[in-house]
Amino acid sequence: MSARQRLAQGFLDVAGDIEAGRSEAALCQHLQRAHTLCGAAAAGERDAARRELLAHLQTALSTWQQVWPRLGGQQPFRLAVAREARLWAKRLAGG
């Protein structure tokens, strides 16, 4: 499995945790894993625009993890994060 595929799976894991109502601990673990995968992918990326995108994704993952304790109980927020995670997974897997 390529780094890009592992990262796409990381975003799918985040979305799956949210949609299945898994514990905050499980979600935070997957958020951290996806964050780490972004960093690893960025380290091996030669294209500057791609590195910038991966840095943006790391920021989004950090933000989700930081605000989850406060906003994670709100259904609209949960749905928005799950939807965005699925979109990123699709984008990363597709090309």
Side-chain angles (χ1 to χ4, degrees), residues 2-11 31-64 84 88-89 91-93 95:
S2 72
R4 191 178 220 166
Q5 290 170 322
R6 284 190 301 276
L7 184 52
Q9 183 59 54
F11 277 94
L31 287 167
Q32 186 57 49
R33 181 174 182 270
H35 187 277
T36 300
L37 289 169
C38 278
E45 183 58 57
R46 294 179 188 197
D47 180 79
R50 191 97 175 116
R51 280 193 312 272
E52 187 175 320
L53 171 66
L54 292 166
H56 167 76
L57 291 176
Q58 280 189 299
T59 300
L61 289 160
S62 293
T63 301
W64 293 345
E84 189 170 343
W88 279 115
R91 181 173 177 190
L92 290 163

Side-chain angles (χ1 to χ4, degrees), residues 11 14-21 27 64 68 71-88:
F11 277 94
V14 168
D17 285 348
I18 294 167
E19 293 164 351
L27 174 62
W64 293 345
W68 196 265
L71 299 177
Q74 298 177 16
Q75 188 68 8
F77 178 74
R78 295 177 71 83
L79 292 174
V81 172
R83 183 177 51 249
E84 189 170 343
R86 285 208 179 274
L87 288 172
W88 279 115

